Amino acid sequence: MKRRLEPELMDGVEQALAYAEADFSESNTLFIELLKQLQPGDLHGARALDLGCGPADISIRFLRAYPKATCDALDGAQSMLDLAQQALDGLPGVAPRCRLIRDNIPSTQIPSAHYDLILSNSLLHHLHDPQVLWRGIREAAKPGALVLIMDLMRPASAGWAEALVATYADGAPEVLRADFRHSLFAAFEPQEVVVQLAEAGLTTLEVAVVSDRHLAVSGRLPGSLPSGIEG
């Protein structure tokens, strides 16, 4: 099935609120489990970057799981960051370790070669040019940094896409059902991501299918391991 582009930003207030109120606990829990499988150590003093953070649920889950780390969370939609700030306001043990950044990638607000860990969940399919993400990772990460990117995986047919919508968005608001459908059409197939990584020179990263609708890109960048992260 051919890829169909969708808007890069989810910046409508109604759309952002519906997204924040939706139950993504299954996929977000999977993300953290995949990170733990990479055996990153306790991440003492580690600086993480969450690209396309949305309402910051991944950032919050990460900081809860790794209380010795900090995280910069970037998103281009202010409506999403407003919801992220609301969530952080109720978490005094987490909020001081999370910095919200409103910007798109490439971003002048992200320092170069600064981060021990790069995270991203459900950003890749929004990008019209996927190399924007891979270049951003190369620029922001320290040598040896750990990378975990998870995203939707494009189904083989429109019928398969509709079956996934019926399975995972049954009873959801129409705005969410439409977003999920559009996102499935905009997502990449695993082999397409392999080609993207080769083009970006990120051949140490591996692509794996991790659910019936998700793929993940993970691994370490070339170079020595950052301080505080175990191999």
Side-chain angles (χ1 to χ4, degrees):
M1 184 173 68
K2 187 176 180 180
R3 185 185 186 218
R4 303 179 191 174
L5 299 180
E6 67 172 358
E8 292 196 349
L9 286 182
M10 296 177 66
D11 53 2
V13 173
E14 177 187 7
Q15 187 181 34
L17 185 59
Y19 188 88
E21 291 179 344
D23 183 7
F24 293 109
S25 58
E26 180 186 352
S27 59
N28 290 357
T29 297
L30 172 61
F31 186 95
I32 298 301
E33 287 302 315
L34 291 173
L35 178 59
K36 291 178 179 178
Q37 290 173 22
L38 295 175
Q39 300 181 332
D42 65 6
L43 298 179
H44 184 86
R47 290 175 289 201
L49 174 63
D50 182 4
L51 294 170
C53 67
D57 189 62
I58 290 293
S59 300
I60 290 169
R61 287 171 182 264
F62 165 74
L63 291 170
R64 280 174 162 167
Y66 298 95
K68 298 178 181 180
T70 61
C71 184
D72 286 352
L74 179 144
D75 202 279
Q78 186 60 50
S79 55
M80 287 291 189
L81 294 180
D82 289 343
L83 293 168
Q85 188 62 61
Q86 290 177 25
L88 288 167
D89 287 344
L91 299 169
V94 171
R97 294 184 288 124
C98 187
R99 181 171 72 110
L100 300 179
I101 303 171
R102 183 186 179 184
D103 206 356
N104 300 317
I105 50 174
S107 170
T108 58
Q109 298 185 56
I110 297 177
S112 299
H114 182 73
Y115 296 97
D116 305 290
L117 179 64
I118 308 291
L119 309 173
S120 183
N121 184 36
S122 297
L123 170 63
L124 180 60
H125 71 269
H126 284 288
L127 300 175
H128 294 178
D129 177 9
Q131 288 301 325
V132 169
L133 175 59
W134 307 124
R135 286 194 299 267
I137 289 172
R138 289 189 61 174
E139 292 170 3
K142 289 181 179 179
L146 195 63
V147 175
L148 176 59
I149 311 298
M150 194 170 88
D151 208 282
L152 290 171
M153 178 174 60
R154 191 167 79 251
S157 67
W160 189 353
E162 289 302 324
L164 290 171
V165 172
T167 299
Y168 295 106
D170 183 44
E174 182 53 36
V175 63
L176 274 184
R177 290 174 61 84
D179 280 342
F180 185 33
R181 183 181 296 108
H182 294 157
S183 294
L184 288 169
F185 281 116
F188 294 98
E189 297 175 345
Q191 187 56 39
E192 291 173 334
V193 178
V194 171
V195 172
Q196 293 167 17
L197 294 173
E199 181 180 340
L202 297 174
T203 54
T204 59
L205 303 182
E206 297 183 352
V207 181
V209 174
V210 294
S211 84
D212 61 351
R213 62 200 186 282
H214 294 101
L215 58 80
V217 177
S218 63
R220 291 191 183 275
L221 300 184
S224 59
L225 295 178
S227 174
I229 300 184
E230 300 176 4

